[in-house]
Amino acid sequence: YQQVDGVAMGSSLGPLLANIYMAHLEEEFFLKTQHPFSPSYYRRYVDDTFCLFTSEDHVDLFLNFINSIDTSIQFDKESEVNGQLPFLDTIIKRSLNNMYPDVSTRVKPTDKGLFYNSQSFIPESYKSNLIYILVYRVFHIASSYTIFHHDLQVLKSKFLKNGFSSVLFDLTVRKFLDKQYTPEEQVTTVRRMKVTMLLPYLGPLSVFIERRLAELIAGFCPLVDFGIICGRGRTIGGLFSFGDGFPLKCGGGVVCGIGCGSCGSGAACVGGAINAMHEGFCGTGGRLHPSTESTALLEHLAEGMGPDCEFGTDGIGILDSCAGDLGLRYAGGMHLERSGQTLDTREGSMPLEMVWLVVLCL
């Protein structure tokens, strides 16, 4: 035997695949193309379909059309009788006083009204739960309280025939209705979590988003205290991932070195600058300023060791950084010892022996 159509009986994929295929047929033949005999109202649950037509003549035309789509899927029809039509577990009846139909619980002709007897050797909770779930079913199917009361009396008569007491049935119904109409207070046994979200301010839209998010989180996560902080929106600066670099000559609190462009690394100077580095070299009183009385850099230029001797700010390099003047003197002394330069006289730096002494004392 080889199965060439459909799915195996009892397969868990059967209902899922059937629903997917029916949805495909509806989209291809009902939604994309409208026919004169198409129903004005169409709802389907798996393979049961409820339709409303503007004319009785359209019923057979529509039935023949859907049966011609796939020979493996054939539908049958059931029309209303005396103004009512059974559909799934409901009875849909035309209403004389309302534009909407009356919906009640369907009782099949083969139903014998048999449950397990009240004297059965089972936990009492099983008995009360049986009443509870059937009352729940009747309540959610009924379209009005009048229909609910009628279906409830029919259900009660069945339980009485199975030996259930009227008191147990009424108490269970009362328990169900109290739960439906009495708000239940939530008792929290865990610590509430506070969540704050930062969003850009967008005017009235921000107020709507905050209210909507608060409603959703309160419904799905009741133990979360949610809040929103509105900050500035998008700025021009935020469009650039990096800002402008800080100019080297404006930096302060650094140990820097400068060498002669002609004489090489031997004719170099190492020193600290607590203020702006450019001011330490080119500002008033700086190492290269003409008004300065005497510095190693100016003396080197005055001696004229070479025709191309010069000290430019482009040749300045940062060797270290410190927060205070004393730290700069310590760091300068260590870099002077290692650099082997010939121009600095250590007047502004700490001698290396004193540096090691301070380190050992700390």
Side-chain angles (χ1 to χ4, degrees):
Y1 173 77
Q2 183 178 5
Q3 183 173 353
V4 296
D5 193 14
V7 295
M9 292 292 294
S11 174
S12 58
L13 290 177
L16 177 61
L17 295 176
N19 194 32
I20 294 175
Y21 185 68
M22 289 299 301
H24 168 71
L25 294 182
E26 292 168 349
E27 183 177 358
E28 288 293 327
F29 296 96
F30 302 161
L31 300 181
K32 292 184 178 181
T33 304
Q34 292 292 330
H35 302 278
F37 48 79
S38 297
S40 58
Y41 184 86
Y42 179 92
R43 292 293 183 273
R44 177 181 57 84
Y45 181 79
V46 189
D47 59 347
D48 293 325
T49 307
F50 183 84
C51 301
L52 296 179
F53 294 90
T54 57
S55 174
E56 293 184 5
D57 299 334
H58 294 169
V59 177
D60 292 332
L61 294 176
F62 182 74
L63 180 63
N64 295 332
F65 169 71
I66 59 176
N67 284 336
S68 64
I69 296 175
D70 191 336
T71 56
S72 300
I73 302 178
Q74 296 296 302
F75 292 87
D76 197 3
K77 68 174 182 177
E78 183 177 358
S79 303
E80 64 174 297
V81 178
N82 297 328
Q84 65 181 20
L85 177 67
F87 182 68
L88 300 177
D89 290 342
T90 66
I91 294 291
I92 303 175
K93 185 178 181 179
R94 292 182 181 269
S95 177
L96 300 178
N97 303 322
N98 194 351
M99 62 178 297
Y100 298 102
D102 294 332
V103 183
S104 59
T105 303
R106 178 187 181 186
V107 180
K108 295 183 179 180
T110 57
D111 180 65
K112 304 298 181 182
L114 296 177
F115 308 120
Y116 42 70
N117 194 273
S118 63
Q119 302 301 322
S120 300
F121 189 68
I122 57 176
E124 292 298 321
S125 60
Y126 286 20
K127 303 173 185 179
S128 60
N129 287 342
L130 175 62
I131 301 175
Y132 192 93
I133 60 175
L134 292 179
V135 172
Y136 178 92
R137 174 173 174 263
V138 169
F139 177 82
H140 286 278
I141 289 179
S143 59
S144 66
Y145 286 103
T146 303
I147 297 176
F148 171 65
H149 177 73
H150 175 269
D151 292 346
L152 196 63
Q153 296 303 316
V154 174
L155 182 62
K156 182 177 181 179
S157 64
K158 293 182 181 180
F159 276 100
L160 294 179
K161 291 179 181 178
N162 286 272
F164 285 77
S165 66
S166 177
V167 175
L168 176 62
F169 185 87
D170 294 340
L171 288 176
T172 306
V173 173
R174 180 178 179 180
K175 176 183 176 181
F176 171 79
L177 294 177
D178 287 343
K179 187 175 182 179
Q180 297 296 318
Y181 296 104
T182 302
E184 182 178 356
E185 297 183 0
Q186 294 184 352
V187 179
T188 58
T189 57
V190 297
R191 186 176 180 180
R192 300 180 66 88
M193 180 187 300
K194 187 174 183 180
V195 177
T196 303
M197 181 180 294
L198 178 62
L199 294 177
Y201 180 70
L202 303 175
L205 181 60
S206 297
V207 179
F208 172 77
I209 294 175
E210 179 179 2
R211 186 187 308 115
R212 185 57 178 157
L213 286 177
E215 293 174 354
L216 292 174
I217 293 179
F220 291 96
C221 303
L223 299 181
V224 173
D225 290 331
F226 178 74
I228 289 182
I229 298 178
C230 292
R232 294 188 305 169
R234 186 182 296 272
T235 60
I236 296 179
L239 300 177
F240 301 92
S241 53
F242 299 99
D244 295 335
F246 190 74
L248 180 64
K249 63 181 181 180
C250 296
V254 294
V255 177
C256 51
I258 184 172
C260 178
S262 176
C263 299
S265 59
C269 177
V270 175
I274 187 64
N275 297 319
M277 187 175 62
H278 182 267
E279 293 296 325
F281 284 93
C282 302
T284 303
R287 292 181 176 88
L288 294 174
H289 197 274
S291 63
T292 306
E293 295 182 359
S294 177
T295 65
L297 301 181
L298 292 176
E299 291 177 357
H300 179 78
L301 294 177
E303 291 174 358
M305 300 299 293
D308 298 327
C309 290
E310 64 176 357
F311 296 97
T313 55
D314 295 338
I316 301 175
I318 296 178
L319 306 178
D320 208 337
S321 62
C322 292
D325 181 64
L326 185 60
L328 289 175
R329 296 178 64 187
Y330 291 147
M334 298 181 66
H335 284 284
L336 280 173
E337 189 68 23
R338 291 184 297 180
S339 65
Q341 55 84 32
T342 59
L343 297 182
D344 198 291
T345 59
R346 300 180 182 269
E347 294 179 356
S349 302
M350 191 69 68
L352 185 62
E353 294 79 3
M354 181 64 69
V355 174
W356 284 112
L357 177 62
V358 173
V359 174
L360 292 177
C361 290
L362 292 177

